[in-house]
Amino acid sequence: MFEKLALIGIGLIGSSIARATRLKGLARTIAISTRKQETLDEARSLGLGDSYTLDPIEAVKHADLVILCIPVQAYDGVMKQIGPYLQAGAIL
């Protein structure tokens, strides 16, 4: 089990991972980050996470598992942004 799972992006893939994680009890806490407030509000209304933020850096702080659920072409920019804030030993 993971202490904190950070999901960067919460579309179809991210929401499916969040639901499965909850169902199987695989993480104590789920942090969700996305670019748009309306998407974040929808994730909150569905109860997909424990914390919600537009800031991916905030989401990954203290996370021992980070999953990028964003388009592949966005990986480089997001990794440059969050990389310095990943905890030692975090799985990405």
Side-chain angles (χ1 to χ4, degrees), residues 24-38:
K24 301 290 184 178
L26 299 176
R28 216 175 286 285
T29 302
I30 300 173
I32 293 173
S33 176
T34 191
R35 295 179 305 126
K36 297 179 184 175
Q37 184 64 50
E38 55 270 15

Side-chain angles (χ1 to χ4, degrees), residues 6-27:
L7 295 171
I8 309 302
I10 195 67
L12 293 174
I13 294 171
S15 62
S16 295
I17 292 170
R19 285 185 175 105
T21 299
R22 283 262 191 255
L23 181 66
K24 301 290 184 178
L26 299 176

Side-chain angles (χ1 to χ4, degrees), residues 51-83:
S51 64
Y52 304 86
T53 182
L54 295 173
D55 182 2
I57 293 169
E58 186 63 34
V60 302
K61 286 182 181 174
H62 310 293
D64 47 344
L65 175 61
V66 177
I67 301 176
L68 301 181
C69 307
I70 57 177
V72 172
Q73 62 269 27
Y75 276 30
D76 184 56
V78 171
M79 284 303 300
K80 286 177 182 171
Q81 188 179 11
I82 67 172

